[in-house]
Amino acid sequence: MNSKNSILLVDPEFDPNTATNCNLLIKITADSFSYAIIDKSSNQLKAVYDQQECQNVSKQLSEKLRTDSYLSLPFKEIKASVHTENSIAIPNDLFNEQSLNDYAKFFTEEQSNNLYTQPSANFGFTSIFTLNKFIEESLNISLSNCRLFDHAAPVLELSKNNDNLSLTLDFTVGSFNAIYTDGGKLIFQNYFQIENTEEFNYYLLFIINQLNIDALNTNIHLSGIINEGDGQYKCIEKYFNAINFTSTTGNKADNKILDDMPAHYYSSLLALDQCG
């Protein structure tokens, strides 16, 4: 990361003229945004950009969309997962597409008036969500045919094949997404912003206590900006024994441009390619 808390890795053999063979993946959290370009014809990761510790995500994202030449390329497919406070998971047997406005009454934050739906076939529910209107506008202006997902979608994709009791934690520098599953069944999902290690420890204990998690028999799967030996990792180590870093996704892409990076840093970003 440079002094602006951002990094850009590009395959020196990447030809922008091949963008029509490529998918663009964008992950937007409450305090960061990143993107990846995958050439689907060769199944190679061609570029990764990551900006952490954003003070104003919507403003910085808008500027990046306006000035980054890679983001103006004519991609084969574009997918974006976007952090939102307004997201509700409705079990499929209760979901009624004709009642979307009724579900929206439960939203607490003032955001755009557009409602999005996102089925989760693996977990048997449909998410209904709205987005920050400034982020939504920036994406609509700069990216045509962008498929939108809420922020949980790529982490759910990472969690779908976890067996038995599993807690998946996906980190940015200042936040984490937590998903708890039991035998492939979703039990809990939430997003937390954290100022420091002590605050992370508080939320982790809250999750353990509220869900009565059996720490000795629960597997922990970590992805994002976390490293063995740092503050958050040591907190997890106090309560759990089976700790794993999630370094691969279902796309099986050639990720050689990440060879000098921890393999789990961009697992959830790349998992977005598998979201349908």
Side-chain angles (χ1 to χ4, degrees), residues 128-146:
I128 303 169
F129 60 97
T130 62
L131 301 179
N132 174 290
K133 61 183 179 181
F134 299 108
I135 290 179
E136 180 186 63
E137 182 179 348
S138 295
L139 292 172
N140 287 337
I141 290 174
S142 301
L143 303 174
S144 61
N145 301 318
C146 178

Side-chain angles (χ1 to χ4, degrees), residues 220-224 226-229 233 243-248 262-265 267:
I220 303 297
H221 301 275
L222 305 179
S223 60
I226 183 171
N227 295 292
E228 187 171 355
Y233 188 92
I243 304 174
N244 309 285
F245 287 102
T246 304
S247 58
T248 59
H264 60 277
Y265 269 19
S267 296

Side-chain angles (χ1 to χ4, degrees), residues 7 9 227 255-266:
I7 188 171
L9 302 171
N227 295 292
N255 299 337
K256 64 182 179 181
I257 67 169
L258 298 179
D259 283 351
D260 294 329
M261 303 290 290
H264 60 277
Y265 269 19
Y266 303 111

Side-chain angles (χ1 to χ4, degrees), residues 107-143:
F107 292 155
T108 58
E109 297 292 326
E110 183 178 356
Q111 297 189 316
S112 80
N113 293 322
N114 296 317
L115 286 174
Y116 300 93
T117 61
Q118 173 194 310
S120 178
N122 295 300
F123 294 103
F125 67 85
T126 297
S127 291
I128 303 169
F129 60 97
T130 62
L131 301 179
N132 174 290
K133 61 183 179 181
F134 299 108
I135 290 179
E136 180 186 63
E137 182 179 348
S138 295
L139 292 172
N140 287 337
I141 290 174
S142 301
L143 303 174

Side-chain angles (χ1 to χ4, degrees), residues 23-34:
N23 286 359
L24 172 65
L25 313 173
I26 303 176
K27 179 185 174 186
I28 304 164
T29 75
D31 65 319
S32 71
F33 63 90
S34 54

Side-chain angles (χ1 to χ4, degrees), residues 8-60:
L8 174 64
L9 302 171
V10 181
D11 183 342
E13 297 180 358
F14 176 47
D15 180 0
N17 293 317
T18 65
T20 53
N21 297 324
C22 299
N23 286 359
L24 172 65
L25 313 173
I26 303 176
K27 179 185 174 186
I28 304 164
T29 75
D31 65 319
S32 71
F33 63 90
S34 54
Y35 72 73
I37 298 172
I38 299 178
D39 188 324
K40 301 300 289 185
S41 62
S42 62
N43 213 24
Q44 290 182 318
L45 182 62
K46 291 299 184 181
V48 167
Y49 174 84
D50 184 33
Q51 184 162 341
Q52 294 287 320
E53 298 181 274
C54 296
Q55 297 300 312
N56 186 326
V57 171
S58 59
K59 180 179 179 180
Q60 291 171 264

